[in-house]
Amino acid sequence: MKQLVLFFLIIIPAQYSFAQKAQIIGVIHENSDITVPYATITLKQIDDKPIAVGISDAKGIFRLENLSEGNYTLIYSLIGFKTITQPIQIIADKEMNVGAITLQPDGKLLEEVTVTGQRPSVSLKIDKKVFEVGKDILSQSGAVTDLLNIVPSVSVTPTGSISLRGNSNVLVLIDGRRTGLTQGNALDQLPADQVERVEVITNPSSRFDAAGSAGIINIILKKNKKAGFSGQIRLVGGSPNETRVTPSINYKSNKLNLFATYGVRLSDYVGLYTMEQSTGLSSTPVYLNQRQDENRHDNAKLLYFGADFKFNDHNSITAAFLRNSTHDHDKTQLNYLYSDKNGILDSSLSRNGESWEKRSYNQLEFNYTKTFDKAGKKLTVDMQYDFWNSDKEWNLATSKTSPISIDLPMIRTISDGSSKDLMIKADMVQPLDSNSTFEFGLKAEDRRVNSDFIAEQQNSTGWETVDQIDNHLLYKELIGSGYVQFSGKAGAFSYQGGLRGELTRIGIEDRIGSYTNKKKYNRLFPTLNISYLFKEGATLQGSYSKRINRPSLRMIYPFNELTDLSTRYIGNPDLNPSYANVFELAFLKNWKTLTFNPSFYYQNTSDMIEDYTYKNADGLFITMPINISKEIRSGFELSLLYTPIKWLQVNTELNVFHYSEQGVYQNQNFDYSGNTFTARVSAQLKLKDKLAFQTLYNFRGANATAQTRAEALHSIDFGCSKTFLKDKATVMFDVSNLFDLRKSKSITTGSDYMISQTSIPNAARYRLTLVYRLNLKDNEAARQAKSGNRN
């Protein structure tokens, strides 16, 4: 720490110890909230002789240095925009700040010119790794969950659980905002072809929320920069049934941008789950073979509309509304065969379940953005209000089929839930000079969730409560946070340091009084990122951050459905958050045909959240999340992107890590250590006439905890695409989980039992997608909604 303080004491004053020669700085905008990278800035003398030329960076900021005194002309130009000319007088040894320059789209040029250049597929920023994904076939078809499965370091399970480097404690953002769509595979509501790039942030800076001990995945959506009317319609047909119709429209002028999207989705899912359970192994063993066949049908409708209004060159607002409603109808059939140690059948049961669920998610969003004459200075204020409600009913019919046939009483469960979540935040970016920036911000979020749950069993006179399962739970959460951050550059060194403080208040109350609980925890979260750019273009980065992993609602809620006779998952209202200290060292080098990106990382997590399985007094196996002492994880990750010839691209990823867990809960020792790895290989062929093919192989090595061992998991995806009608239309065919390879297998052991499970939540899916664009190219998209504050 002393060395770190000394580093800042030396580097920061060094920037002010030398007198600067004359220079010009500014920032290029299309409007108040969209900056323009790669614009050309030319300084000319009166006789039209060029003196200096510069290009705006990824944030739209440009800088011309070492300039002589005199009268000149500045010219701002970029293909597709009208050229701007501006006279300027340069004074010796002075920094000239021309402020924000707004480029206006040139409709005629946009129709005639096609830009063929593109950014590198992988790049390292000061606090993140950026993957350009828009040109991959598998990132144009399907949903965002399919897209994330091709991003290095990221994996998505068949049930929609997202993990980063094998760690599921990850925070998913959309355009820098929290998403409420990461639970239950709900991210499949967002089409993958709307995504421009994915930012993998393993050590986030203090401007981001401290949640997610594994890091942050930030999904950046495409933006339409074209004036006038534009839009697209997206049609999808698939087997098992996946029917989607999504029209979008956009109107843009100098001051006003109107946008709207409507979507309809009809989807079927086929699942198969098997289990072999052995109990009483130390005395008289009983064996259970269980099979569950599942058919799920989802209907969904999405409406999103809003407007951006630009008051002037420095002030703009955005207001929008999103409604996403779903109606699900699921059917499940479970068969139970009980036998003794000799394999002789003792008895059998059958349970048929049918459920209906309605959900309505609504979101109001508002943004105010103010820019200033000083280049890069910006104030943003965001307010977002999310409110949703849901109700679900299960009807369960059970019968004993042997040794005699008996119908058992009907069981039903009814759950109703609702949530209200208000978030307000403000962020300020204040450049100090051409090489350093100061940032600070405040955020407050208030969240209230209500849930009713009742389980009933039919009797001769009506319905009676089962096992006293009739309760109402109220969850209240208030989070206040603030941060400060300083970033700068000294020669080839770039650095960014910050501190975030978060104050959390949680209250849990229920009608019975079993779970009344109040918690308060306040923490400071420091971050540090250092980067060095070598002359050859290679980048070396070191980073540190402290993170928090807050339990999700599913982990906290004690209510559980009674679908399965033998196992249940229940939440734990006493669960505490876990904290992680994360260190990383990364290197990136881009050659003409090869991108080489190795990383070393180390994570030390306290109060680790782990699943605990036990057998209760009624012989039912209960799984619930608990806190154990700690987990230490260290690993090496290597990403290679190889383009040996123009039409072939191969992407390979390998992640090898060691983990060690320690803890004791209810006499169960959780001490365990092991090694595992993940791997991914993707190949893409780009042929003539915009015909392309891509295949992807994913592998996740076997891993284990003190109780459960999961076997290796692998899968293959395939896709092809053809763009035609002068880029107005694209047709794509893709297959996910080809050959039904994606099967999750695990074995859980205890002192007197063993449970072996195989899960196939989704069968192979074949999709045909057609996208037709109105006044858009294949690298543009209609406006899409940001997502919710919390899960």
Side-chain angles (χ1 to χ4, degrees):
M1 183 60 70
K2 291 181 179 179
Q3 290 83 349
L4 175 61
V5 174
L6 181 61
F7 172 81
F8 277 104
L9 290 177
I10 293 175
I11 293 297
I12 295 174
Q15 299 183 81
Y16 305 98
S17 60
F18 301 98
Q20 295 180 338
K21 294 183 179 181
Q23 60 176 311
I24 300 173
I25 63 172
V27 61
I28 307 297
H29 280 270
E30 180 188 353
N31 57 43
S32 60
D33 62 342
I34 299 179
T35 58
V36 178
Y38 316 122
T40 301
I41 299 90
T42 306
L43 182 69
K44 292 186 176 183
Q45 289 181 328
I46 301 301
D47 60 4
D48 211 31
K49 180 181 178 180
I51 299 299
V53 178
I55 297 177
S56 60
D57 64 14
K59 296 181 179 180
I61 298 173
F62 68 89
R63 185 176 296 106
L64 302 178
E65 299 176 324
N66 299 320
L67 305 176
S68 301
E69 187 175 26
N71 294 316
Y72 300 91
T73 299
L74 269 175
I75 300 174
Y76 311 93
S77 61
L78 180 66
I79 293 176
F81 293 88
K82 297 178 181 179
T83 299
I84 294 178
T85 301
Q86 176 188 37
I88 187 171
Q89 182 182 13
I90 296 178
I91 301 174
D93 297 327
K94 184 177 180 181
E95 178 184 278
M96 310 291 294
N97 191 331
V98 298
I101 305 299
T102 301
L103 297 182
Q104 300 296 334
D106 189 323
K108 184 177 180 180
L109 284 177
L110 284 172
E111 292 176 1
E112 297 176 350
V113 178
T114 300
V115 180
T116 58
Q118 62 183 21
R119 288 173 278 185
S121 297
V122 184
S123 59
L124 279 181
K125 305 302 182 183
I126 185 65
D127 60 351
K128 59 195 170 190
K129 187 186 298 183
V130 181
F131 299 94
E132 305 293 336
V133 296
K135 293 299 181 180
D136 289 344
I137 302 165
L138 295 175
S139 69
Q140 297 181 54
S141 57
V144 166
T145 46
D146 303 305
L147 164 65
L148 291 177
N149 248 334
I150 71 172
V151 175
S153 307
V154 181
S155 60
V156 183
T157 68
T159 57
S161 177
I162 300 171
S163 61
L164 180 58
R165 290 175 172 169
N167 191 336
S168 60
N169 299 325
V170 61
L171 175 64
V172 178
L173 307 177
I174 295 180
D175 284 339
R177 303 270 286 278
R178 281 185 178 273
T179 170
L181 302 178
T182 56
Q183 298 297 311
N185 206 13
L187 269 175
D188 65 1
Q189 292 289 80
L190 182 63
D193 61 0
Q194 306 298 321
V195 179
E196 177 179 297
R197 66 184 186 273
V198 176
E199 299 175 345
V200 176
I201 313 172
T202 51
N203 257 341
S205 66
S206 60
R207 78 166 66 94
F208 293 102
D209 288 344
S213 59
I216 293 174
I217 299 171
N218 188 21
I219 301 167
I220 305 297
L221 302 180
K222 295 176 181 176
K223 295 177 176 62
N224 174 31
K225 298 182 179 180
K226 188 171 292 187
F229 281 100
S230 60
Q232 72 175 33
I233 184 168
R234 188 171 189 267
L235 306 175
V236 179
S239 176
N241 176 47
E242 182 171 357
T243 304
R244 297 174 186 253
V245 180
T246 311
S248 302
I249 193 168
N250 198 98
Y251 172 76
K252 188 171 186 178
S253 65
N254 289 341
K255 288 187 174 293
L256 182 65
N257 181 33
L258 301 174
F259 47 89
T261 296
Y262 181 74
V264 176
R265 174 176 63 88
L266 309 175
S267 302
D268 290 332
Y269 303 89
V270 178
L272 173 62
Y273 308 84
T274 60
M275 181 178 68
E276 296 180 3
Q277 187 182 106
S278 306
T279 58
L281 298 178
S282 60
S283 55
T284 304
V286 175
Y287 298 93
L288 166 64
N289 284 331
Q290 177 181 320
R291 177 189 172 105
Q292 177 180 347
D293 292 279
E294 186 178 64
N295 288 283
R296 312 190 306 274
H297 177 74
D298 297 349
N299 292 342
K301 296 179 180 180
L302 180 144
L303 174 65
Y304 178 60
F305 63 89
D308 306 311
F309 183 74
K310 180 180 178 182
F311 292 98
N312 49 49
D313 288 344
H314 292 303
N315 296 275
S316 67
I317 61 171
T318 295
F321 173 74
L322 167 71
R323 179 179 177 85
N324 183 22
S325 60
T326 60
H327 290 190
D328 300 345
H329 184 197
D330 300 345
K331 294 181 179 180
T332 182
Q333 181 178 7
L334 294 97
N335 294 307
Y336 304 83
L337 300 177
Y338 296 90
S339 60
D340 60 19
K341 63 180 180 180
N342 298 316
I344 299 175
L345 182 66
D346 176 74
S347 61
S348 61
L349 291 169
S350 177
R351 169 168 281 189
N352 292 315
E354 189 170 8
S355 72
W356 299 264
E357 182 175 15
K358 294 181 180 180
R359 295 189 300 268
S360 175
Y361 174 81
N362 305 274
Q363 174 196 112
L364 288 166
E365 66 171 277
F366 174 83
N367 169 267
Y368 168 69
T369 299
K370 179 177 179 59
T371 59
F372 300 82
D373 290 335
K374 185 177 179 63
K377 183 177 180 179
K378 184 169 70 172
L379 169 68
T380 57
V381 178
D382 288 282
M383 290 187 289
Q384 188 165 308
Y385 180 57
D386 302 337
F387 55 102
W388 58 260
N389 58 75
S390 67
D391 60 83
K392 186 174 185 179
E393 179 176 346
W394 269 103
N395 286 344
L396 303 168
T398 310
S399 60
K400 192 171 184 178
T401 54
S402 69
I404 57 175
S405 180
I406 302 175
D407 289 334
L408 302 177
M410 176 77 74
I411 292 177
R412 71 182 183 187
T413 62
I414 303 173
S415 61
D416 292 290
S418 64
S419 173
K420 297 178 180 180
D421 189 333
L422 175 64
M423 183 277 295
I424 303 175
K425 71 171 185 174
D427 298 274
M428 184 72 183
V429 180
Q430 175 66 62
L432 300 179
D433 59 19
S434 59
N435 288 320
S436 58
T437 302
F438 180 67
E439 301 177 55
F440 58 93
L442 295 172
K443 180 179 179 182
E445 183 180 351
D446 182 68
R447 183 189 194 197
R448 295 172 180 265
V449 185
N450 285 276
S451 181
D452 275 295
F453 190 87
I454 185 172
E456 296 177 311
Q457 179 175 289
Q458 195 171 28
N459 57 28
S460 58
T461 60
W463 295 90
E464 60 182 354
T465 303
V466 176
D467 297 334
Q468 298 181 336
I469 303 176
D470 182 5
N471 207 348
H472 171 86
L473 188 131
L474 171 63
Y475 176 85
K476 297 181 291 184
E477 181 182 70
L478 177 63
I479 303 176
S481 60
Y483 74 92
V484 292
Q485 183 166 282
F486 179 84
S487 59
K489 184 177 180 182
F493 273 104
S494 298
Y495 50 90
Q496 181 174 269
L499 183 66
R500 186 178 188 91
E502 294 192 354
L503 296 79
T504 305
R505 302 290 184 269
I506 291 176
I508 300 175
E509 303 172 4
D510 72 316
R511 184 169 57 231
I512 298 177
S514 302
Y515 308 109
T516 300
N517 195 1
K518 292 184 178 180
K519 295 184 179 182
K520 301 178 181 180
Y521 43 92
N522 310 322
R523 291 290 189 279
L524 293 176
F525 300 91
T527 64
L528 176 64
N529 300 83
I530 300 175
S531 178
Y532 183 81
L533 181 62
F534 294 92
K535 292 182 179 180
E536 299 80 9
T539 303
L540 179 66
Q541 284 187 352
S543 58
Y544 162 77
S545 69
K546 185 177 180 66
R547 311 289 299 160
I548 183 175
N549 180 42
R550 292 187 175 91
S552 66
L553 286 180
R554 177 178 179 269
M555 293 179 176
I556 295 174
Y557 272 21
F559 306 147
N560 55 87
E561 294 173 342
L562 310 182
T563 313
D564 192 349
L565 284 167
S566 61
T567 62
R568 290 180 195 170
Y569 180 93
I570 63 173
N572 180 3
D574 293 326
L575 204 61
N576 292 315
S578 60
Y579 298 91
N581 290 287
V582 185
F583 300 84
E584 182 170 355
L585 182 66
F587 178 80
L588 176 68
K589 172 63 177 174
N590 284 304
W591 287 278
K592 185 176 181 180
T593 60
L594 177 67
T595 297
F596 177 66
N597 179 212
S599 301
F600 295 89
Y601 60 91
Y602 173 86
Q603 299 174 1
N604 190 330
T605 304
S606 60
D607 289 326
M608 175 72 180
I609 298 177
E610 182 66 89
D611 280 345
Y612 167 56
T613 300
Y614 67 96
K615 184 179 178 183
N616 68 7
D618 297 324
L620 187 67
F621 284 96
I622 305 294
T623 299
M624 61 182 288
I626 53 100
N627 292 109
I628 62 175
S629 298
K630 66 177 182 178
E631 181 198 62
I632 296 176
R633 183 176 297 213
S634 57
F636 169 74
E637 183 180 63
L638 177 62
S639 178
L640 298 174
L641 179 63
Y642 183 49
T643 311
I645 46 183
K646 184 178 180 180
W647 47 269
L648 174 63
Q649 183 181 88
V650 180
N651 195 337
T652 303
E653 175 202 343
L654 175 66
N655 177 27
V656 181
F657 60 92
H658 172 80
Y659 59 97
S660 176
E661 299 179 352
Q662 294 181 15
V664 177
Y665 184 85
Q666 298 290 339
N667 297 321
Q668 170 69 51
N669 189 336
F670 280 88
D671 290 359
Y672 190 87
S673 63
N675 302 288
T676 188
F677 73 97
T678 62
R680 178 178 298 154
V681 179
S682 173
Q684 183 166 215
L685 297 175
K686 296 183 179 181
L687 306 179
K688 293 182 178 180
D689 300 322
K690 295 196 173 183
L691 175 64
F693 299 86
Q694 184 177 8
T695 185
L696 172 70
Y697 174 74
N698 264 309
F699 178 83
R700 187 204 68 193
N703 62 88
T705 66
Q707 283 193 303
T708 302
R709 173 179 173 80
E711 295 186 12
L713 179 69
H714 59 126
S715 63
I716 296 176
D717 298 332
F718 170 80
C720 60
S721 71
K722 176 74 170 78
T723 299
F724 53 98
L725 295 180
K726 297 182 179 179
D727 288 349
K728 290 183 178 180
T730 299
V731 63
M732 292 162 282
F733 172 76
D734 75 290
V735 186
S736 61
N737 192 22
L738 188 62
F739 308 125
D740 287 323
L741 295 177
R742 194 177 294 139
K743 299 178 182 180
S744 301
K745 298 181 179 180
S746 65
I747 298 177
T748 301
T749 57
S751 59
D752 201 33
Y753 66 86
M754 183 175 70
I755 304 172
S756 176
Q757 295 175 295
T758 300
S759 301
I760 310 174
N762 299 316
R765 185 172 294 275
Y766 302 82
R767 275 187 298 249
L768 185 65
T769 302
L770 173 66
V771 178
Y772 183 81
R773 307 173 188 88
L774 173 66
N775 201 28
L776 287 173
K777 298 296 183 181
D778 68 340
N779 62 341
E780 298 174 326
R783 181 75 162 267
Q784 294 293 322
K786 297 181 177 67
S787 296
N789 296 327
R790 299 298 301 277
N791 55 16

